[in-house]
């Protein structure tokens, strides 16, 4: 029995004695049963209150567990292993690695573009003028086309035409106006390996203007 229950019962008994003290024959009242019932009801109310408080405390935890935590400014955790959807222009940080395919990485530095595949690593300095390069290789049974576009106008879309069909590429660029952009596209390799040399690439501006065209670089 709690201290609160004891104090309450003492008050009830004293109040009962005060009410019947002047009577010659005080009425019989089941005080013990009444007090037991009171204790039971108070315990039930306390239990219900504790349960309600516990549920309220759980709500913030559930909300936090289901929240996608992001950094200020909308920048979430980086995911270099996840390639950008084809047909997009993605701004990357210098040295940030993007994987067009498993076993292949592409990244940009301030002065050059770099590729690394199971076939080896290579680098290309963008140079000057307006041009677009194209390299073709097979990585784990998939066709990987990569290259660099350089020019005064920014690239907004890149398409490659291969014997297996037309592929929409993805553009990677550094922030600001570096004057050059890396691109890549992936697809099904042609049945004849020699047909890879027939691939052609076209770079477009945002208004649809053709900025540059090129073929496979040896």
């Amino acid at each position: 029995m709690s201290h609160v229950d004891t104090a309450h019962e003492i008050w009830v008994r004293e109040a009962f004695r005060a009410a019947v003290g002047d009577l010659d024959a005080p009425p019989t009242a089941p005080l013990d049963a009444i007090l037991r019932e009171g204790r039971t009801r108070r315990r039930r109310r306390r239990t219900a209150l504790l349960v309600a408080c516990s549920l309220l405390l759980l709500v913030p935890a559930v909300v936090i567990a289901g929240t996608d935590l992001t950094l200020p400014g909308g920048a979430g955790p980086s995911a270099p292993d996840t390639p950008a959807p084809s047909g997009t222009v993605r701004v990357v940080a210098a040295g940030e690695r993007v994987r067009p395919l498993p076993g292949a990485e592409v990244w940009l530095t301030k002065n050059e573009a770099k590729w690394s595949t199971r076939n080896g690593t290579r680098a290309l300095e963008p140079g000057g003028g307006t041009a677009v390069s194209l390299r073709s290789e097979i990585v784990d049974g998939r066709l990987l086309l990569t290259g660099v576009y350089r020019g005064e106008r920014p690239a907004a879309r890149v398409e490659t035409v291969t014997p297996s069909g037309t592929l929409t590429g993805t553009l990677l660029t550094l922030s600001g106006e570096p004057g050059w952009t890396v691109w890549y596209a992936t697809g099904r390799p042609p049945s004849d390996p020699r047909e890879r040399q027939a691939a052609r690439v076209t770079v477009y501006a945002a208004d649809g203007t053709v900025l540059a065209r090129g073929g496979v670089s040896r």
Side-chain angles (χ1 to χ4, degrees):
M1 183 183 299
S2 67
H3 175 73
V4 174
D5 288 339
T6 302
H8 178 75
E9 291 179 10
I10 292 174
W11 179 83
V12 171
R13 292 182 185 277
E14 292 297 331
F16 181 78
R17 291 194 189 98
V20 302
D22 295 336
L23 298 177
D24 294 335
T28 301
L31 283 180
D32 291 337
I34 293 173
L35 293 173
R36 283 196 300 272
E37 179 66 20
R39 286 196 297 269
T40 300
R41 292 187 179 185
R42 286 194 295 276
R43 281 196 296 271
R44 289 175 180 172
R45 285 197 296 269
R46 284 196 295 267
T47 300
L49 181 61
L50 288 174
V51 171
C53 292
S54 299
L55 291 176
L56 289 175
L57 290 174
L58 285 175
V59 170
V62 173
V63 172
I64 293 174
T67 300
D68 180 17
L69 299 179
T70 57
L71 299 176
S78 60
D81 293 346
T82 304
S86 61
T88 63
V89 179
R90 176 175 171 179
V91 178
V92 296
E96 179 181 350
R97 302 198 176 204
V98 177
R99 291 188 176 179
L101 291 171
E105 290 183 334
V106 182
W107 67 99
L108 288 65
T109 69
K110 292 183 178 180
N111 301 314
E112 61 186 1
K114 292 187 176 182
W115 293 264
S116 177
T117 69
R118 303 187 193 281
N119 304 324
T121 302
R122 62 185 182 275
L124 178 64
E125 294 183 5
T130 298
V132 60
S133 63
L134 187 157
R135 291 184 63 91
S136 173
E137 61 182 305
I138 304 298
V139 180
D140 291 346
R142 294 284 290 173
L143 176 65
L144 174 62
L145 303 173
T146 57
V148 173
Y149 159 76
R150 61 181 183 272
E152 295 181 358
R153 298 186 62 183
R157 183 167 58 91
V158 59
E159 286 186 352
T160 58
V161 178
T162 72
S164 300
T166 300
L167 304 174
T168 300
T170 299
L171 296 154
L172 304 176
T173 185
L174 299 172
S175 61
E177 298 180 359
W180 57 282
T181 303
V182 171
W183 68 270
Y184 68 81
T186 62
R188 179 172 55 87
S191 55
D192 187 344
R194 293 173 296 181
E195 292 181 346
R196 291 193 289 118
Q197 305 301 319
R200 294 291 183 269
V201 58
T202 304
V203 180
Y204 299 89
D207 60 3
T209 301
V210 174
L211 298 178
R213 286 193 172 98
V216 175
S217 304
R218 296 184 182 272

